[in-house]
Amino acid sequence: MRTVTLIATAAMGLESIVANEVRELGYEAKVENGKVLFDAPISAIPRCNLWLRTADRVRLLIGTFHATSFDELFEGVKELRWEEYIPEDGQVPVIGKSVHSKLYSVPDCQAITKKAIVERLKLKHGIVSKLPETGPVYKVEIALLKDMATLTIDTSGTGLHKRGYRVGQGEAPLKETLAAALVKLTNWKPDEPLIDPFCGSGTIPIEAALIGQNIAPGFNREFVSEDWGLIRSKYWDQAFEEVEDLANYDQALTIVGSDIDHKMVEISKQNAIEAGLGDLVSWKQMQVRDLTIKDANGYLIGNPPYGQRLGDKEIAAALAKDLGSIMKNHHSWSVYILTAFEQFEKEYGQKATKKRKLFNGFIRTDYYQYFGKKEKGEL
């Protein structure tokens, strides 16, 4: 089977988690800023799109070269073997970005890249007139970084955070990929209780449930590369069969999502149903101060309001204080909170065991991690 080089793109701070996911799928991974590179058979494109929980998208690497002039860019793009990937009727939209490079005009770089690809495809497919561009989509990206051009084709289509289950959301929804990462950064196991007392539209509990039952995050959606002749349909069939075979629908879960807003609780319920989770997650309308913990050895994962708007700092402080006063009596529980509220530890009443810098969209946040001391059961 043909080997290709793939790039799983990642939000800042999540590269190592994405790399671990790639390795779990059986591929060797190399971590760079904002991406994970790996060589794999062509059948990895369906598998990675279906299984990667924390990656933004999967790109197919076509080539890299040095370019400081438009002539160099044109010739470099034209030398790449586009005809091995794109058929004569392929649609070829081009997007671009440029960072610290002499070629800083992105529209010009896009236009030149497109022209070079078209010339190569016409030459190799033996077309004299215009390319028809009536077939499947092959979205090309020209990315320039310090005068190095990287050419890729997007295999995902819509970003991988779009799982297909979100029928409703609040004002500041947490991306599904980040929610999955928050769960994967803990040591939570499916047989342990998990609570999110700031559930919003339910993203953290839903992602936890998908992880708990080993349900592939992409099972409920489509990918642009499903239409490509490059990937034989049997590889997609095999990937979907693997998804079904590895799902553990019998795994019992104790996951609770709660929120002060009853509308968000209803949205969470609908999102969970759309994700195929039915009643697997319990949803409650509740203030944080009313949270009661009954079981031992659990995990609390939350993304509370950050208090960034005028007058909201008091709310963020009160939530942290309420949470701290409850959780100080539950030493066997581990608490994980993502927030941009800088006074969180002070108001919570305890220094975190560990802190990790993450970005929620463009907002710099800290992931405060409080490790519980597990209680041992009776012998």
Side-chain angles (χ1 to χ4, degrees):
M1 197 190 298
R2 181 176 175 183
T3 297
V4 291
T5 300
L6 299 175
I7 299 173
T9 60
M12 197 183 301
L14 300 187
E15 295 94 341
S16 62
I17 305 165
V18 173
N20 286 338
E21 287 196 88
V22 168
R23 292 180 189 119
E24 283 167 12
L25 287 172
Y27 313 118
E28 289 186 24
K30 179 188 171 192
V31 178
E32 293 185 7
N33 278 342
K35 59 188 176 183
V36 175
L37 289 90
F38 55 105
D39 293 332
I42 203 105
S43 59
I45 293 176
R47 293 187 71 224
C48 290
N49 274 298
L50 281 163
W51 281 107
L52 292 180
R53 297 181 192 278
T54 59
D56 288 331
R57 55 183 65 244
V58 178
R59 296 188 180 280
L60 174 61
L61 179 65
I62 307 302
T64 59
F65 55 87
H66 189 265
T68 55
S69 70
F70 288 137
D71 282 343
E72 278 185 325
L73 178 63
F74 182 87
E75 293 302 328
V77 172
K78 195 178 171 186
E79 275 185 31
L80 300 175
R81 298 181 175 182
W82 297 100
E83 70 281 359
E84 293 183 5
Y85 307 95
I86 303 173
E88 59 187 62
D89 66 343
Q91 296 181 54
V92 192
V94 178
I95 60 170
K97 59 184 179 184
S98 177
V99 180
H100 304 312
S101 296
K102 290 185 177 66
L103 300 178
Y104 58 83
S105 171
V106 173
D108 286 335
C109 291
Q110 288 173 208
I112 287 162
T113 298
K114 171 80 175 194
K115 188 179 177 186
I117 294 171
V118 167
E119 285 210 13
R120 172 86 187 199
L121 290 176
K122 283 171 70 173
L123 181 69
K124 294 296 177 179
H125 290 312
I127 297 171
V128 179
S129 57
K130 259 179 78 173
L131 290 177
E133 295 205 47
T134 54
V137 175
Y138 298 79
K139 186 186 275 188
V140 172
E141 181 185 72
I142 164 68
L144 287 151
L145 175 62
K146 296 178 181 175
D147 299 324
M148 281 299 295
T150 300
L151 279 299
T152 59
I153 303 176
D154 173 31
T155 74
S156 301
T158 308
L160 293 181
H161 70 284
K162 294 284 179 99
R163 313 288 207 219
Y165 64 70
R166 188 172 268 174
V167 292
Q169 62 188 41
E171 282 181 25
L174 190 68
K175 253 189 176 181
E176 294 87 335
T177 43
L178 179 55
L182 298 184
V183 177
K184 290 185 87 71
L185 281 166
T186 76
N187 291 318
W188 175 72
K189 302 288 188 296
D191 58 354
E192 297 169 319
L194 187 151
I195 292 175
D196 176 4
F198 317 95
C199 73
S201 55
T203 315
I204 292 173
I206 289 170
E207 290 296 321
L210 294 175
I211 291 168
Q213 290 201 333
N214 201 34
I215 298 170
F219 83 103
N220 201 25
R221 53 159 287 172
E222 296 176 343
F223 305 94
V224 71
S225 51
E226 286 182 69
D227 296 329
W228 293 1
L230 175 68
I231 308 166
R232 291 166 64 182
S233 59
K234 78 168 188 177
Y235 297 141
W236 281 104
D237 293 340
Q238 288 168 355
F240 277 106
E241 278 173 29
E242 180 186 38
V243 163
E244 194 59 38
D245 291 344
L246 295 181
N248 183 9
Y249 299 117
D250 295 328
Q251 173 65 54
L253 300 170
T254 306
I255 299 176
V256 178
S258 65
D259 200 278
I260 193 171
D261 186 345
H262 73 93
K263 289 179 185 170
M264 296 315 300
V265 173
E266 286 305 313
I267 286 172
S268 295
K269 286 180 184 175
Q270 291 304 312
N271 287 343
I273 289 167
E274 194 66 25
L277 300 173
D279 298 327
L280 267 178
V281 180
S282 300
W283 306 100
K284 296 179 182 175
Q285 183 195 358
M286 190 173 63
Q287 296 185 72
V288 172
R289 67 170 71 110
D290 296 328
L291 179 66
T292 53
I293 306 284
K294 293 174 184 174
D295 301 309
N297 303 331
Y299 287 76
L300 187 149
I301 307 174
N303 176 46
Y306 298 165
Q308 290 192 309
R309 289 186 299 199
L310 201 62
D312 285 355
K313 274 197 165 42
E314 292 81 3
I315 296 170
L319 289 172
K321 193 168 283 185
D322 287 342
L323 190 63
S325 66
I326 292 166
M327 298 314 294
K328 71 182 180 184
N329 300 316
H330 299 282
H331 302 293
S332 71
W333 276 65
S334 295
V335 176
Y336 294 78
I337 297 292
L338 182 76
T339 182
F341 179 51
E342 293 177 0
Q343 301 300 311
F344 178 81
E345 286 171 305
K346 180 181 171 226
E347 298 296 344
Y348 185 80
Q350 189 184 341
K351 290 280 281 183
T353 316
K354 194 175 175 183
K355 266 198 317 189
R356 186 181 184 122
K357 184 172 78 171
L358 294 173
F359 281 84
N360 183 0
F362 295 107
I363 304 170
R364 185 207 176 282
T365 63
D366 284 301
Y367 195 34
Y368 296 93
Q369 305 169 50
Y370 297 86
F371 302 160
K373 294 179 182 175
K374 292 276 177 78
E375 292 180 10
K376 292 180 181 175
E378 293 180 2
L379 294 174

